[in-house]
Amino acid sequence: MKDLNELLNDVIENEKMIYGVLSNQRKKDNNNFIKVNLKPVLIKGEKKIQFTYEYNSKVMHKNLGKSDSIEELDELLKNYFKQGMFFAIDADYQVLISKKGKVNILKKKPTKEQISLSHNRKKEYIINEGTPCDFLIRLGIMNESGKVYNKKYDKFKQINRFLEIVSDIVPHIKGKETFNIIDFGCGKSYLTFALYYYFVKILKLNVNIIGLDLKSDVIEFCNNVAKDLNYNKLRFIHGDIKDFDDIEKVNMIVTLHACDTATDAALAKAVNWNTDIILSVPCCQHELFKKINSSTMKPMLKHGIIKEKLSSLITDSLRANLLEILGYSTQLLEFIDVEHTPKNILIRSIKSGKIDKSCIDEYKSFKEAWGIKDIYLEKALEDKLKDMDI
Ligand SMILES: C[S@@+](CC[C@H](N)C(=O)[O-])C[C@H]1O[C@@H](n2cnc3c(N)ncnc32)[C@H](O)[C@@H]1O
C-alpha cells in the first residue's frame, strides 16, 4: 500500500484511527521515551490526537491537531521508532521502517471497532450538545442547531456540572407544592436560567426563582431574556443581598461567586430564614487575610500567594463548620476542574435540624489556632449562635 505520508494522511485527516502505538526504539536510550501511544480525544469540542510518551519512570501527554499530528508521527517514525501500529476503522496497519529508512506497510483486517474519544468521553450531561436548548441559544452558548460554540465550551460544562450537583438535591424538592429559590449575586445568570430550565422545563416542578444583583443593567438584561423565553416564574430584582427581605418563604439559596463577604451575607440570610437548601460557591476572600495569625504556620503565612489561598480555605472551613453547628448537613464539593477557575469549592448544605455540639468545640479551637477573634458570618448569625457559647 501507499507510502507513509499517504497512510498518515488517510488515518489522521479522515479520522479513521481508533488507536495507535509506536514501539521498538531505533536507538536504545533509557532516557528517552520508549513507546508512544495514540488515541483520538475530544477537547473543548475539538478533535485532537493525544500522544502519550512513555518513559521508564514517567508518562507525558501532548494533544495535537491533525496536521501537527501528521508531522509529529512522521518525525517519530523516521527518527525514533522502527515500528508503528495504526488500528483504523477499515484496517490495521503495521508500519515497519528499516535501518536504511525503507518503509514497509502491511495492511490487515481491522481488529478494533469504534472510535472512543475517552479522554473526554462523551458524558451524559443533563443538557446535551446537539439538542437545541432555548436559554443556551439566547445567551450565546450554542447555535440554533444545538452546537456549542468552541469558546463557550467551559461555560457549557460549568452549567452541566452545576446541574449535576443540583440533581442530587431533587429528592428534597419533589413533592413540595411550591419551591422558592433565590440566586444571590446572579450576575448574567447563566446558572439561574439553567436552574429554571432544569426544574421547570425538564422536571416540571412548581418552582419560583428570583435572581438578585447589585447591577441594574444586568437585572434589566436578565428580565428581558426571561420574558423572551416565557420563563414566567423567573424574575430578577435589583438590590443588595444584605438588605433583601422581600419574600416570605425561601426554600433554597444559591450564591455563585458572590464577591468576598457577599457570600456570607447570603449564607446568613439563608440560615436566618431557615432555608432548607444552600448551594454556595464562594468567590474572592479578603476578610481573613488580615486576621489569621499563627507562629507555627509562619512559613505559610509569610508568602502572600500562599496566605491568600490559605485564608480562603480557612474561611470556607469556618463557613462549613458554622453551618454544621446550626443544623445543616454540609458537604464541600469540587464545582469544576481547577483548570477553569480557581474558585471551585461548592458548599452544599441541607437543613437536618440536628445540632452537633461537637462542632462547637471544633470551631472554637480551629479559630484559636489561627488567632481569629471574630468573623463576618458569626456576627451576621449572632441571634442564632447566642446560646452556643461561641
Ligand atoms: C462574579 S459575579 C458571579 C455571577 C454569577 N453568579 C455566576 O456565577 O456566573 C458576582 C456577582 O455578584 C454580584 N454581587 C456582589 N456583591 C453583591 C451584593 N452585596 N448584593 C448583590 N449582588 C452582589 C455582583 O454584582 C456580580 O454580578
Side-chain angles (χ1 to χ4, degrees):
M1 109 88 79
K2 333 162 173 190
D3 68 13
L4 182 59
N5 223 352
E6 204 183 331
L7 172 71
L8 294 178
N9 265 303
D10 185 36
V11 295
I12 303 294
E13 277 296 342
N14 298 326
E15 299 175 5
K16 286 185 179 173
M17 192 184 69
I18 297 164
Y19 176 69
V21 55
L22 311 183
S23 59
N24 217 344
Q25 266 183 325
R26 192 161 286 286
K27 275 190 223 135
K28 288 266 172 272
D29 177 0
N30 282 340
N31 294 322
N32 211 341
F33 38 78
I34 43 185
K35 199 168 142 192
V36 178
N37 297 308
L38 313 156
K39 64 173 179 180
V41 289
L42 194 62
I43 292 176
K44 295 184 187 168
E46 266 187 69
K47 288 179 181 163
K48 306 238 174 195
I49 302 292
Q50 182 170 82
F51 287 69
T52 304
Y53 301 81
E54 287 187 15
Y55 292 75
N56 263 337
S57 54
K58 66 175 178 182
V59 168
M60 311 266 285
H61 296 287
K62 216 181 328 184
N63 300 316
L64 301 177
K66 287 179 185 171
S67 55
D68 289 343
S69 293
I70 294 172
E71 247 177 62
E72 177 73 355
L73 283 169
D74 190 64
E75 162 83 9
L76 289 171
L77 280 168
K78 286 186 175 151
N79 298 311
Y80 293 92
F81 294 104
K82 290 191 233 164
Q83 173 171 275
M85 279 302 302
F86 296 93
F87 300 92
I89 301 167
D90 56 343
D92 289 357
Y93 294 97
Q94 184 179 18
V95 179
L96 298 165
I97 306 185
S98 73
K99 259 189 195 167
K100 291 186 178 160
K102 187 168 175 306
V103 177
N104 188 15
I105 299 173
L106 306 173
K107 184 177 177 182
K108 294 177 192 162
K109 273 194 185 158
T111 55
K112 304 247 185 293
E113 272 182 2
Q114 238 183 351
I115 293 195
S116 147
L117 301 186
S118 59
H119 177 80
N120 253 345
R121 199 167 0 133
K122 258 210 157 184
K123 218 174 127 83
E124 262 308 298
Y125 283 136
I126 289 178
I127 301 175
N128 278 302
E129 183 169 15
T131 309
C133 167
D134 58 1
F135 83 92
L136 290 178
I137 296 170
R138 181 66 172 76
L139 294 177
I141 307 272
M142 60 167 53
N143 67 18
E144 297 277 339
S145 14
K147 164 97 184 78
V148 176
Y149 296 113
N150 282 347
K151 280 194 182 149
K152 298 290 176 177
Y153 217 83
D154 284 351
K155 198 78 206 166
F156 177 71
K157 271 175 73 181
Q158 188 198 46
I159 288 169
N160 272 297
R161 171 67 183 142
F162 176 61
L163 293 183
E164 194 179 295
I165 293 170
V166 169
S167 68
D168 291 345
I169 49 132
V170 168
H172 297 270
I173 300 176
K174 277 202 164 144
K176 300 238 186 242
E177 238 165 63
T178 52
F179 202 82
N180 295 329
I181 302 173
I182 301 187
D183 182 355
F184 277 137
C186 57
K188 230 181 144 192
S189 299
Y190 296 95
L191 298 165
T192 334
F193 283 102
L195 207 54
Y196 187 90
Y197 181 84
Y198 179 50
F199 282 151
V200 178
K201 299 274 172 176
I202 299 183
L203 300 178
K204 314 280 182 220
L205 298 175
N206 193 6
V207 163
N208 300 297
I209 304 184
I210 292 175
L212 184 100
D213 204 283
L214 279 177
K215 296 180 194 146
S216 54
D217 54 338
V218 163
I219 291 299
E220 192 186 338
F221 167 81
C222 293
N223 273 323
N224 287 336
V225 176
K227 202 163 153 227
D228 293 350
L229 296 169
N230 280 323
Y231 283 15
N232 302 326
K233 292 176 174 181
L234 171 62
R235 64 194 170 105
F236 294 89
I237 300 176
H238 173 231
D240 191 315
I241 299 168
K242 65 179 174 5
D243 305 325
F244 185 78
D245 265 320
D246 199 11
I247 189 154
E248 266 182 23
K249 173 77 188 150
V250 182
N251 303 91
M252 175 166 154
I253 289 286
V254 176
T255 131
L256 302 167
H257 301 129
C259 329
D260 202 9
T261 51
T263 294
D264 298 300
L267 295 178
K269 283 272 168 201
V271 175
N272 287 326
W273 284 335
N274 285 319
T275 304
D276 304 316
I277 297 165
I278 300 170
L279 295 182
S280 173
V281 179
C283 189
C284 47
Q285 215 296 320
H286 305 299
E287 189 196 4
L288 285 197
F289 189 84
K290 292 166 256 147
K291 294 185 177 175
I292 51 175
N293 193 9
S294 153
S295 51
T296 326
M297 296 297 174
K298 219 167 175 183
M300 294 184 91
L301 297 176
K302 69 181 176 187
H303 304 288
I305 186 166
I306 291 183
K307 189 175 175 190
E308 194 186 313
K309 289 177 199 277
L310 192 60
S311 55
S312 285
L313 293 172
I314 295 171
T315 308
D316 288 337
S317 308
L318 288 169
R319 284 168 173 155
N321 204 159
L322 274 174
L323 288 165
E324 282 168 338
I325 289 172
L326 291 165
Y328 282 85
S329 145
T330 296
Q331 290 171 298
L332 299 194
L333 309 169
E334 184 168 54
F335 178 39
I336 194 88
D337 324 345
V338 198
E339 97 186 65
H340 300 110
T341 168
K343 296 152 199 162
N344 68 334
I345 290 181
L346 182 138
I347 303 174
R348 183 167 67 192
S349 296
I350 314 275
K351 191 162 180 60
S352 69
K354 287 185 213 129
I355 310 265
D356 184 349
K357 292 252 190 280
S358 68
C359 295
I360 299 177
D361 294 334
E362 259 175 33
Y363 180 78
K364 287 195 324 197
S365 50
F366 185 66
K367 255 179 45 177
E368 201 182 344
W370 288 108
I372 301 163
K373 299 240 162 9
D374 56 275
I375 59 167
Y376 179 105
L377 185 56
E378 208 179 283
K379 186 107 193 56
L381 289 169
E382 65 188 353
D383 281 351
K384 292 263 177 195
L385 293 169
K386 68 175 181 291
D387 301 324
M388 300 222 180
D389 184 30
I390 283 182

